[in-house]
Amino acid sequence: MAKNIIFTEKAPKPVGPYSQAVISSDFVFISGQIAIDPKSSKIIDGGIEAQTVQVLENLKNILESIDLTLDDVVKTSVFLSSFSDFQSFNRVYSKYFDKTPPARTTAQAGLMAGVLLEIDAIAKKT
């Protein structure tokens, strides 16, 4: 089974030995995204809500580069640096996944300085 590597300039460039996303069969596996502005390559400021918007925009841009949308996402994994941010995060997240939300795992994790969350996703090509 072949795998196709996905790359778009509209999402942060990988900073290590990983791909933005990989297509295998009918599935798209998107690497964890943090709140990096792809134009400046810097982590954005503004708290959990602003960072959640940036992360979800990065995911959306990767999907759009292969003619998919957030509606095609079947599973996300969310890593929050603090569960005290859960309600604010969820408020923003629910706006992006308002019709048919994917399955989701949410956990608290130690993330690099200034990073409040990371989200990875699995999408299905229809």
Side-chain angles (χ1 to χ4, degrees):
M1 183 178 312
K3 67 179 184 180
N4 297 318
I5 306 302
I6 304 307
F7 177 80
T8 178
E9 294 287 340
K10 293 182 178 182
K13 293 176 178 63
V15 295
Y18 64 91
S19 301
Q20 287 174 332
V22 174
I23 298 175
S24 181
S25 186
D26 290 337
F27 289 95
V28 181
F29 300 89
I30 303 171
S31 293
Q33 297 295 305
I34 61 174
I36 294 177
D37 176 348
K39 292 178 184 167
S40 69
S41 297
K42 297 198 184 307
I43 298 168
I44 66 157
D45 293 323
I48 188 66
E49 291 185 6
Q51 285 202 8
T52 302
V53 167
Q54 183 65 59
V55 167
L56 292 170
E57 288 295 322
N58 291 344
L59 287 170
K60 188 170 86 169
N61 288 337
I62 292 168
L63 290 163
E64 287 177 352
S65 76
I66 53 173
D67 298 321
L68 296 177
T69 70
L70 289 172
D71 289 335
D72 297 301
V73 173
V74 295
K75 172 76 167 75
T76 61
S77 297
V78 178
F79 305 96
L80 297 173
S81 64
S82 172
F83 258 114
S84 65
D85 288 331
F86 181 79
Q87 287 184 340
S88 297
F89 152 76
N90 215 38
R91 215 175 1 263
V92 174
Y93 181 94
S94 66
K95 291 176 185 174
Y96 280 82
F97 294 106
D98 62 337
K99 296 176 190 162
T100 54
R104 181 176 91 186
T105 300
T106 305
Q108 184 170 331
L111 301 172
M112 63 191 272
V115 175
L116 303 178
L117 77 156
E118 181 172 352
I119 303 175
D120 67 28
I122 300 170
K124 185 164 189 328
K125 296 176 73 170
T126 53

